[in-house]
Amino acid sequence: MSRDPDQLKNIVEGALLAAGQPLTLDQLLGLFLDEERPSRTEIRAALDALIADCESRGVELVEVSSGFRYQVKTAMAPWVSRLWEEKPAKYSRAVLETLALIAYRQPVTRGEIEEVRGVSVSSHIMKSLLEREWVRVIGHRDVPGKPALYGTTRLFLDYFNLKNLSDLPDLADIRSIETIERELDFDEADGDDSRAKALAEEPEQIQVAMPKEATETAVQEPQH
Amino acid sequence: MSRDPDQLKNIVEGALLAAGQPLTLDQLLGLFLDEERPSRTEIRAALDALIADCESRGVELVEVSSGFRYQVKTAMAPWVSRLWEEKPAKYSRAVLETLALIAYRQPVTRGEIEEVRGVSVSSHIMKSLLEREWVRVIGHRDVPGKPALYGTTRLFLDYFNLKNLSDLPDLADIRSIETIERELDFDEADGDDSRAKALAEEPEQIQVAMPKEATETAVQEPQH
Amino acid sequence: MPTASETVPQQGEMPFAKVRGEEITQLPLDLYIPPDALEVFLDAFEGPLDLLLYLIRRQNLEILDIPIAEITRQYIEYIELMRDMRLELAAEYLVMAAMLAEIKSRMLLPRSAESEEEEGDPRAELIRRLQEYERYKQAAEEIDTLPRLGRDTFEARAKAPDMKVARTELHVDLKDLLLALKDVLVRSDRFTSHQIQREALSVRERMSNVLGAVNADSFTEFTTLFEAKEGRMGVVVTFLAVLELIKESLIELIQSEPFGPIYVKARHDVQRS
């Protein structure tokens, strides 16, 4: 059906903003009756045009795991976050490490997480990750005790602005004794300080941060 | 403080879209720390610019009694509203039984329906039948509690393609549903509507209950 | 990536700990830690691997290069210190201490070239675990810096337009209705005692109509309930309906004088929907 491309754009924009949650291409197509339904290409073009329209605005249109959504650009966060008195939740290192292990190693059992972290994972942590619906039980390993296998959810990806798991930051390589010797006399100082900044932003979360020297060495790490 | 007017616009836009409710001028001013706070005139100018930006878009920025808010333009309503359309489901057995009893025993009270069904009839069931306008309260029985008497409506007859209640199959025949299936050609593969039509078009097949004259007179009826 | 550079405190060095509100920016060079800080210190570590990593990193050492004897000495001193403070120490810390001691002793023992080949570096397993842990520790830190909903970005929404949400009406088949009725009939014998006959059904419909036409507040003239053009049968049906309604105490007939007009009135206020 021939249609004013602006109208299509406006409908898509209106629907995404009214929904307040990500909408898939199929959900967008579902807004139209059969006889007026645009093609996927047309919807895609409308989305692309809307994405371009956001360039100089305070919001952006992004695709996350469960679809397309409008969100406030991170540059506005310092002001926009003042709308709420409550500070956004902070997650302990234990929670984040457990989450990282589930995200990168899924499907994974609690025992396997404990093995890597070298400490037991409290039930409290698993419970809060499950309650947030960032993590779910996706099966059971066929070994004695049938331990639950955990995996991450779409909500987890949505929450962290990811379209799929491959968007996660790369895991650092495991280096062998041989490679390290070659690397040892290689890049000393130019770490990114974003991590140091991140640490500094949340002093109360991390009560004790690394002493300066230690931080610097750690900074040399992941190259992405 | 001198500030990029675009940044101010973007902060205001981001805040209004993130808030999910109208924001007043004061609330918008409250997003800024003292030393960076714009004047009311500047905020007002940013709002005006944002309002102008919406001209050809799917949303508009309007001032309502409790402040400024973005809302989807009414022109988008036909499509956007489909986001909230209920998924077609089926009426429960309880609803159908209740409806059938009202059709055959009207005027009838809820207590009497319960007596026959042997289970209580939830308010939810009555509500959905009343909302569908298939059933209405036609009076109250003059006994303690003055229970409402229910009857079916014209819409009910129309929906099922019945000219009047006497077009409903006879109770005695329902006892042997096999007969009915034969008579109504229920086993035909064709769609539901056509079946209902077939019902209406072939009255002699459904064992018209009333003698001919009576049926005719009934047709002239209910003027409500 | 969020660039919230505005919020980074302007200071030369990050505090690594807060003790009674006082920021401590430098770890004492020796192993002494103010007793009050110990608990905080322990809390800061996510287990023995984390503590070991810290010990290694703070000396600018590579994991692959750990001087096992020295690290073991430091580790065990921390553990002893914590035990002296009677801090509740997770069993994992003690297990690690034992493991370190074991590696240390194996390193000290002279070994034949043969057995070295067979067993490899006694530190290998520890190194593997440290590296493995460190990469997830880093991944966790990076996940923490991802733009997060509610912290760095916010879902944008606008008020939906006023609209009539089209209620998709459920479809019902007459057949389903009849099947439902049949179920009731099968379940209940009540219908057998006063089974509704064909004519009765029509009378019932007429009862509804009559009831709909009268109310409790005003009188309706009896004769207006009948329509001559309905014919005899129609009149009879209406009459039966009226009688049935009277029997069920739903309406009453009122005649104020002999041979005067008969009025019909609902017994109770009739509500129309």
Side-chain angles (χ1 to χ4, degrees):
Chain A
M1 179 195 170
S2 83
R3 167 198 304 282
D4 178 2
D6 270 353
Q7 190 199 15
L8 181 55
K9 251 178 73 175
N10 288 348
I11 291 171
V12 171
E13 181 186 32
L16 289 173
L17 283 170
Q21 61 180 42
L23 295 179
T24 62
L25 216 57
D26 284 332
Q27 283 173 307
L28 290 169
L29 284 166
L31 300 178
F32 300 88
L33 299 177
D34 288 344
E35 63 275 16
E36 53 163 28
R37 183 162 297 140
S39 67
R40 298 179 82 83
T41 323
E42 283 171 298
I43 291 266
R44 200 51 250 209
L47 285 164
D48 287 338
L50 288 167
I51 287 170
D53 286 349
C54 289
E55 201 186 336
S56 60
R57 289 175 50 203
V59 290
E60 59 193 343
L61 173 52
V62 295
E63 183 174 5
V64 290
S65 179
S66 36
F68 294 86
R69 79 167 172 225
Y70 274 101
Q71 62 185 33
V72 177
K73 285 184 183 166
T74 56
M76 311 303 145
W79 294 275
V80 172
S81 60
R82 294 198 190 109
L83 283 172
W84 298 277
E85 300 222 331
E86 263 176 64
K87 291 266 166 287
K90 281 175 178 161
Y91 295 95
S92 68
R93 276 181 56 200
V95 168
L96 289 167
E97 286 180 12
T98 305
L99 184 61
L101 275 156
I102 296 173
Y104 284 90
R105 304 245 324 218
Q106 59 190 302
V108 68
T109 66
R110 188 155 143 185
E112 288 156 4
I113 299 168
E114 291 176 340
E115 212 175 284
V116 175
R117 292 192 60 228
V119 284
S120 63
V121 172
S122 77
S123 301
H124 177 73
I125 288 180
M126 293 313 299
K127 201 167 148 252
S128 73
L129 288 174
L130 288 164
E131 273 174 3
R132 285 236 49 167
E133 289 185 64
W134 282 353
V135 157
R136 65 195 178 98
V137 175
I138 51 179
H140 293 265
R141 201 177 284 298
D142 197 14
V143 294
K146 306 262 181 243
L149 286 164
Y150 296 95
T152 52
T153 62
R154 274 186 187 286
L155 273 184
F156 159 77
L157 294 171
D158 288 350
Y159 195 82
F160 287 96
N161 259 283
L162 304 168
K163 200 168 145 190
N164 44 52
L165 283 173
S166 58
D167 288 344
L168 278 171
D170 288 335
L171 264 190
D173 290 333
I174 290 278
R175 289 165 306 157
S176 64
I177 300 201
E178 298 81 64
T179 54
I180 190 65
E181 270 158 15
R182 262 177 286 132
E183 282 177 26
L184 261 182
D185 37 16
F186 177 72
D187 96 11
E188 291 294 359
D190 66 328
D192 66 330
D193 0 323
S194 65
R195 183 168 317 130
K197 273 182 196 148
L199 275 171
E201 280 168 42
E202 292 162 298
E204 56 278 274
Q205 185 199 354
I206 309 187
Q207 291 295 334
V208 177
M210 295 286 177
K212 195 151 190 303
E213 322 88 277
T215 311
E216 272 171 3
T217 54
V219 166
Q220 293 172 0
E221 279 297 314
Q223 310 87 346
H224 35 248
Chain B
M1 176 194 169
S2 83
R3 166 197 306 283
D4 178 2
D6 271 353
Q7 192 199 16
L8 180 55
K9 246 179 77 175
N10 288 349
I11 292 172
V12 171
E13 182 186 31
L16 288 172
L17 283 169
Q21 59 180 41
L23 294 179
T24 63
L25 218 57
D26 285 333
Q27 282 173 308
L28 289 169
L29 284 166
L31 300 178
F32 299 88
L33 300 177
D34 288 345
E35 65 275 14
E36 53 165 26
R37 184 162 298 139
S39 66
R40 298 179 84 82
T41 325
E42 283 173 300
I43 291 264
R44 198 55 248 203
L47 285 165
D48 287 340
L50 288 168
I51 288 170
D53 286 349
C54 289
E55 201 188 332
S56 60
R57 288 175 50 203
V59 290
E60 57 194 344
L61 174 51
V62 295
E63 183 172 7
V64 293
S65 63
S66 47
F68 293 86
R69 76 162 174 230
Y70 274 100
Q71 59 187 33
V72 177
K73 287 182 182 165
T74 318
M76 309 302 143
W79 295 276
V80 172
S81 66
R82 293 199 187 108
L83 283 174
W84 285 273
E85 256 174 34
E86 288 169 30
K87 293 274 166 294
K90 278 188 121 177
Y91 279 120
S92 67
R93 202 78 201 183
V95 171
L96 294 179
E97 287 183 10
T98 305
L99 179 61
L101 283 169
I102 294 173
Y104 278 85
R105 298 212 36 183
Q106 60 189 296
V108 66
T109 67
R110 191 155 134 185
E112 289 158 359
I113 298 169
E114 290 174 342
E115 206 179 323
V116 176
R117 285 193 60 223
V119 285
S120 68
V121 173
S122 76
S123 302
H124 178 74
I125 290 178
M126 293 314 300
K127 196 165 153 257
S128 68
L129 289 173
L130 288 164
E131 274 176 1
R132 187 77 192 253
E133 291 185 62
W134 279 350
V135 158
R136 65 193 184 103
V137 175
I138 51 178
H140 293 264
R141 201 178 287 293
D142 197 17
V143 295
K146 309 270 183 230
L149 285 163
Y150 296 95
T152 52
T153 63
R154 171 122 238 157
L155 273 180
F156 165 81
L157 293 175
D158 288 348
Y159 186 88
F160 290 100
N161 268 295
L162 303 168
K163 283 188 191 137
N164 46 59
L165 282 174
S166 57
D167 283 348
L168 278 172
D170 189 68
L171 265 186
D173 294 330
I174 289 173
R175 292 202 159 261
S176 55
I177 198 76
E178 296 74 25
T179 326
I180 303 224
E181 294 202 321
R182 235 187 353 267
E183 286 166 359
L184 294 184
D185 253 347
F186 278 159
D187 295 329
E188 290 289 339
D190 57 358
D192 299 324
D193 291 331
S194 59
R195 186 173 307 136
K197 271 179 204 139
L199 244 178
E201 282 163 11
E202 295 166 282
E204 58 287 329
Q205 245 194 310
I206 350 170
Q207 300 223 333
V208 180
M210 297 289 287
K212 198 156 187 299
E213 319 90 282
T215 311
E216 275 169 1
T217 57
V219 170
Q220 298 168 354
E221 267 299 310
Q223 310 98 335
H224 32 250
Chain C
M1 283 288 159
T3 53
S5 52
E6 294 86 348
T7 62
V8 174
Q10 298 301 307
Q11 61 187 27
E13 243 175 328
M14 288 184 299
F16 78 90
K18 273 190 183 180
V19 179
R20 290 190 175 149
E22 216 172 301
E23 290 182 344
I24 295 182
T25 53
Q26 248 182 343
L27 200 68
L29 292 176
D30 57 8
L31 281 177
Y32 177 75
I33 296 175
D36 291 335
L38 253 185
E39 206 158 350
V40 177
F41 185 81
L42 186 59
D43 278 349
F45 291 104
E46 288 299 322
L49 289 172
D50 198 23
L51 174 54
L52 265 183
L53 265 185
Y54 165 74
L55 293 175
I56 294 164
R57 290 306 189 193
R58 88 179 178 122
Q59 289 166 81
N60 255 328
L61 297 174
E62 267 297 338
I63 295 176
L64 294 173
D65 241 6
I66 21 174
I68 202 78
E70 177 58 16
I71 291 293
T72 303
R73 187 186 64 76
Q74 291 182 13
Y75 182 89
I76 288 172
E77 269 184 77
Y78 272 113
I79 300 305
E80 289 302 321
L81 203 55
M82 289 172 191
R83 270 154 59 113
D84 288 349
M85 297 301 303
R86 294 203 195 122
L87 291 177
E88 210 176 304
L89 204 56
E92 291 99 341
Y93 284 93
L94 302 177
V95 172
M96 178 59 77
M99 185 185 172
L100 285 168
E102 199 241 328
I103 296 172
K104 191 173 121 187
S105 65
R106 275 168 60 198
M107 301 275 292
L108 291 174
L109 287 176
R111 291 181 299 165
S112 64
E114 232 173 76
S115 70
E116 179 135 9
E117 194 130 312
E118 248 170 53
E119 294 168 17
D121 192 331
R123 301 172 306 170
E125 173 62 12
L126 178 64
I127 289 171
R128 187 195 66 77
R129 289 189 63 189
L130 281 170
Q131 283 198 326
E132 185 78 346
Y133 172 66
E134 191 180 39
R135 65 203 300 234
Y136 289 106
K137 179 180 139 96
Q138 284 173 3
E141 286 168 9
E142 297 200 30
I143 285 178
D144 200 26
T145 64
L146 290 174
R148 194 188 295 176
L149 267 192
R151 187 186 70 180
D152 311 297
T153 184
F154 308 87
E155 273 173 318
R157 65 185 68 203
K159 189 187 168 294
D162 291 328
M163 56 200 172
K164 285 203 180 77
V165 174
R167 252 200 329 225
T168 31
E169 307 250 274
L170 302 182
H171 178 72
V172 178
D173 226 11
L174 187 58
K175 171 192 157 200
D176 293 332
L177 194 61
L178 299 179
L179 285 171
L181 185 63
K182 186 203 168 209
D183 281 359
V184 186
L185 297 182
V186 168
R187 281 209 315 269
S188 166
D189 285 333
R190 289 172 200 282
F191 264 73
T192 50
S193 52
H194 38 90
Q195 188 165 348
I196 299 158
Q197 292 305 316
R198 297 162 185 193
E199 291 78 11
L201 183 60
S202 168
V203 170
R204 291 236 153 228
E205 178 177 33
R206 190 57 59 95
M207 283 166 69
S208 285
N209 297 339
V210 170
L211 209 49
V214 302
N215 60 59
D217 302 330
S218 57
F219 298 98
T220 308
E221 210 185 317
F222 183 63
T223 53
T224 63
L225 298 174
F226 300 89
E227 282 201 60
K229 62 181 172 194
E230 285 182 358
R232 205 171 49 138
M233 198 61 199
V235 172
V236 168
V237 168
T238 304
F239 188 64
L240 286 173
V242 170
L243 291 180
E244 189 66 26
L245 285 167
I246 294 168
K247 192 178 123 204
E248 293 191 17
S249 304
L250 292 168
I251 58 170
E252 53 188 337
L253 294 183
I254 291 145
Q255 190 176 30
S256 48
E257 47 182 317
F259 307 109
I262 299 171
Y263 293 100
V264 188
K265 184 173 171 292
R267 287 287 291 270
H268 182 73
D269 190 28
V270 174
Q271 291 191 349
R272 281 153 225 261
S273 53

